[in-house]
Amino acid sequence: MAYDPGAIDATLAAAVGDEPGLIAELRAAFVDSAEKTIDAIQAAENDEAWRLAAARLKGLAASFGAVRLMSLASEAAGTPGNADVVRTLRRAVARL
């Protein structure tokens, strides 16, 4: 599945119109929120906290049209404590 950073911009443009500055601001807020949620996944003290943080990331990704990140977050929910999954999530967000 390919990464499509343009999909996020298209989703944002559909929501706020042709406002490049606002789109850039919302994109930055999305990336920041995604990074913080991945931090929460990594810091999870138990499987339930891990799954909850992964579900939060999946919802965040879905609301911004980040389909690949949504899929990865869904997969992450099933692998609590997996450091490789955290690295994959971080790489996915860095590509957005």
Side-chain angles (χ1 to χ4, degrees), residues 12 17 33 36 43 60-61 95:
L12 292 172
S33 293
K36 287 178 181 175
L60 178 66
R95 290 179 177 176

Side-chain angles (χ1 to χ4, degrees), residues 13-86:
V16 300
D18 187 24
E19 297 287 334
L22 182 55
I23 289 170
E25 186 177 326
L26 291 171
R27 172 187 269 284
F30 164 68
V31 169
D32 183 58
S33 293
E35 289 170 346
K36 287 178 181 175
T37 306
I38 294 169
D39 290 344
I41 292 170
Q42 187 171 20
E45 294 182 6
N46 57 53
D47 291 356
E48 186 58 29
W50 175 286
R51 282 191 285 274
L52 181 60
R56 241 183 281 129
L57 182 61
K58 180 180 176 182
L60 178 66
S63 60
F64 280 83
V67 177
R68 175 67 175 154
L69 183 58
M70 191 172 78
S71 175
L72 290 171
S74 184
E75 291 173 24
T79 58
N82 188 326
D84 289 335
V85 168
V86 173

